[in-house]
Amino acid sequence: MVLNSLDKMIQLQKNTANIRNICVLAHVDHGKTTLADCLISSNGIISSRLAGKLRYMDSRKDEQIRGITMKSSAISLHYTKDNEEYLINLIDSPGHVDFSSEVSTAVRICDGCIIVVDAVEGVCPQTQAVLRQAWLENIRPVLVINKIDRLIVELKFAPQEAYSHLKNILEQMNALTGALFTSKVLEERAERETESQGNSSSEQGEQVYDWSTGLENTDDSHLYFSPDQGNVVFTSAIDGWGFGIEHFAEIYSQKIGIKKEVLLKTLWGDYYINMKAKRIMKVDQAKGKKPLFVQLILENIWSLYDAVLKKDKEKIDKIVTSLGLKIGAREARHSDPKVQISAICSQWLPISHAVLAMVCQKLPSPLDITAERVEKLMCTGSQTFDSLPPETQALKAAFMKCGSEDTAPVIIFVSKMFAVDAKALPQNKPRPLTQAEIAQRRERARQRHAEKLAAAQGQAPLEPTQDGSVLETNPKGEEPRGDKEQVESMTPKPVPQEESNQESFVAFARVFSGVARRGKKIFVLGPKYSPVEFLQRVPLGFSAPPDDLPPVPHMAYCTLENLYLLMGRELEDLEEVPPGNVLGIGGLQDFVLKSATLCSLPSCPPFIPLNFEATPIVRVAVEPKHPSEMPHLVKGMKLLNQADPCVQILIQETGEHVLVTAGEVHLQRCLDDLKERFAKIQISVSEPIIPFRETITKPPKVDMVNEEIGKQQKVAVIHQTKEDQSKIPEGIQVDSDGLVTLTTPNKLAMLSVRAMPLPEEVTQILEENSDLIRSIQQLTSSLNEGRNTQMIHQKTLEKIWEFKGKLEQHLTGRKWRNVVDQIWSFGPRKCGPNILVNKNEDLQNSVWPGPVSKASKEVTKYRDLGNSIVSGFQLATLSGPMCEEPLMGVCFVLEKWDLSKFEGQGANDKQSQEQSDLVKEGQRGDETRSSGDENQELQDGCPEPFEKRTVQKGEVSLSDCYGPFSGQLIATMKEACRYALQVKPQRLMAAMYTCDIMATGDVLGRVYAVLSKREGRVLQEEMKEGTDMFIIKAVLPVAESFGFADEIRKRTSGLASPQLVFSHWEIIPSDPFWVPTTEEEYLHFGEKADSENQARKYMNAVRKRKGLYVEEKIVEHAEKQRTLSKNK
């Protein structure tokens, strides 16, 4: 990069009103990076001839090989329009679904985005996803319809057909925007309704909901994409041309003499021109007229392409002269028509001008940040803006002002960390030599030359003096290498990078307020930091001096070491960065893991976490080829975890190092990075670890041959399933309706548990609200422990009651009566999709926060043993009986909990100590089990010897809350839950991908063949209007998806490419333990029934991987395996 332009950038950074932070979003292969190339070439960073071929923003080797972008990278561009100079910080983002987390990091630090749509493919699944991401972050989109040349060259559309096709694409985009807008308005309206209901709860009468009113009153015309609004540009990035309507309106207003304003309104839409009257009319096409857009714009472009492709030299020359362009002789003579087209069009309709002019006009500057967006950024979790401390709320003004004065608080958001080779950092690059240094080197070279000559002539006496002079000027020694070393050592080198680790981390960040200066001290706030907690820990409040603060969790204090201007593949050093700019920050790798908020005041809350579209689901275990290199692997995985926003690194209980990634391409990239950049060792990778869930279902009505169960007679089962006999050991009572009763090993307590399948909708609600469930658990535990709960906000409570209402709505019927109020815990990990219901009268313990009950004393004593029951439930839901996978959609009901023997035991122990209490103990023992007094005795009676202490009357002894008995309760509860599951029909649940495939009609059969081979299921198939492309929507088990994309590409010769996104969990219908029992089943499946059972295959594979027992028959009747010829 030229140095004077760096100064220019620094100067432009100070004018916040003329900064535009934008990102380019689109579906994979719709032309984002090619468009970025065209914009970069307008700044002279790359040659315009190479634009589109170079893919400058794809700096990684694997990005160039695969031809897709894998990371978001930024570059700063300079643009002049109407004597105004703009600084455009452009971020190119990936379109592949595996890297959608990179899109989230880019969107967070932008104010606007360019959505690119392929004119042929139209709106694709990922287009919808990125539009939704932009919408969630409250950033304004503009539309670029790219690859218009394909309509001419490939599809051979007439201009009129192309116009209706483009209109169709615009309608689809606006339908998406409309859907997003409607849902937002209705959400806000619902919130207002609930608030007004709360305020006017005294009013009686039925409330009528009129949903439409909110939509009618809200103006949404500015949201939609329309060329006459100036937020749509039509381009062909590969040919280097693009236009907005404005450009043509200017030309034709002079030519035809119709006002530019009128043309702007009528150039798009069904308007027709009467050339004689010079009037524009809205008549229909009865007279065979064409709309203005077709007649004045498209036909000209079509005729140009037509002339060039047919090599009509006269017509080309005529067009070129009429447009007043100059085409170089090389381009004019070139045999490739593409070269000629791009030479003519890039002068006539330069793409960079069309796109950047639209960006500067239509997208907001950092000063125009909306209050709504600021409030949304500052409220993490279930907090609302009003519940934040007043000092924190005061920061909103700093956000809105975006001020650069010294008093303004510095607020920076780091959206991701990216790894850079230490050699690429500006401070480590060899700098150009000054004139004085060049002269000095020349002098030294002369001396050395003279010395060699002298040595050759054998003039030994002169040597020492010359040698001495060399030593003075060149302390490194006599080899020429020394000079380079000395000059390099003049440039300051940071110490840490000189170690073996050559990767340096740079934070990808944006300044929201204040000026970021090198050397400034700043607070690093982690995602879990809370300003409220800071106030509780620091008595002086937010005005406390930062140097001697007590340790506050999730907060660190550090210095901004290096600030960089991000220039695609390069970094440039900066001293300070004014507000509203995108920048790179060096030296934060020890303080920031993936993302963080940096602020000069501790009153700033951390920004709301980034919302990732793709969930990481593909797991592999990694280990080094040579065990001695394990430390390198651990260090490499730490670095990889920091460098990738979406990857997760786990160390399992088995000691395996597991890598969790978003998909196959993402996994490949992570493994390449580990081998080549971070760990730099050979690694061996396991087969993908496929996650499953275990559940139970209602007993089936029909058997495997669709006969109604119970109607047909059973035959004598020759080999009764071993599982049925070995499932339930002795000492466990099982009722006919599946109630399992179990006694603890010391025979002091008895538990009765039943398992029931939850309705599908309930499981879904539990999955969606896991964050809310987590906050409910925290709330209840703090209420139980008697801590202050002023932090609960009204909105949070409203959300909790709404969630409870949803559950009650779906859990209806006799068997679910009052179940929602009796929910005791969720699991696994206290926030999963399974519930524990407590139907025990003694202990009324519920997960819902409410006023602390009056009988809290008794509850306290019961609670500690209750915790053991909950722990047992958590363990049981974490690993099920089939293959130790987590459970899903199961409700465990604790019907009875009998502790009378336990209390009796306690009484006997106490007898020797307190004779006087004996009578009372006996009376209590005879009372009914459900009496409340029994609870009081619970903790008094302990199986430990009581000699060592005296328990006063009425005093609660908590000796056994963590003693042997609680451990036995945990184990018994876990076993009871597992047996309760095993008496019901068990099923495996597989993770499912939704799979979108675009394919041409002639390869549809092959696509279906690959899908059915891999257990896929087609949901719908529709044809894209105006093209020969089919869109197939299907679901596919994650277990079958490995190598799926490659296989489809191979089978269809690259004409179909799938896109896989994790969608949901689905029950595999077949029973893993099934054996034939009826005559029909024997006839149909044979005695062994050894045809492949999908669920059993998956279950055994998981059990093998985990080292559990697998029942397999290797070879039966080995002597029959031999052929007759061998027996001779």
Side-chain angles (χ1 to χ4, degrees), residues 531-545:
V532 182
E533 199 171 343
F534 181 89
L535 279 177
Q536 288 169 359
R537 284 175 179 261
V538 182
L540 293 169
F542 294 129
S543 55

Side-chain angles (χ1 to χ4, degrees), residues 22 146 329 554 673 715 732 810 840 1049 1110:
I22 58 163
N146 192 19
H554 310 296
D673 275 356
V715 295
I732 294 167
H810 289 291
N840 201 29
R1049 279 196 207 99
V1110 179

Side-chain angles (χ1 to χ4, degrees), residues 405-439:
E405 55 275 1
D406 292 342
T407 51
V410 180
I411 304 171
I412 302 171
F413 180 73
V414 175
S415 74
K416 67 166 186 173
M417 302 290 285
F418 63 97
V420 179
D421 193 351
K423 295 188 193 100
L425 294 176
Q427 65 263 34
N428 296 349
K429 283 182 190 165
R431 56 186 174 79
L433 299 171
T434 60
Q435 286 297 325
E437 283 171 337
I438 292 171

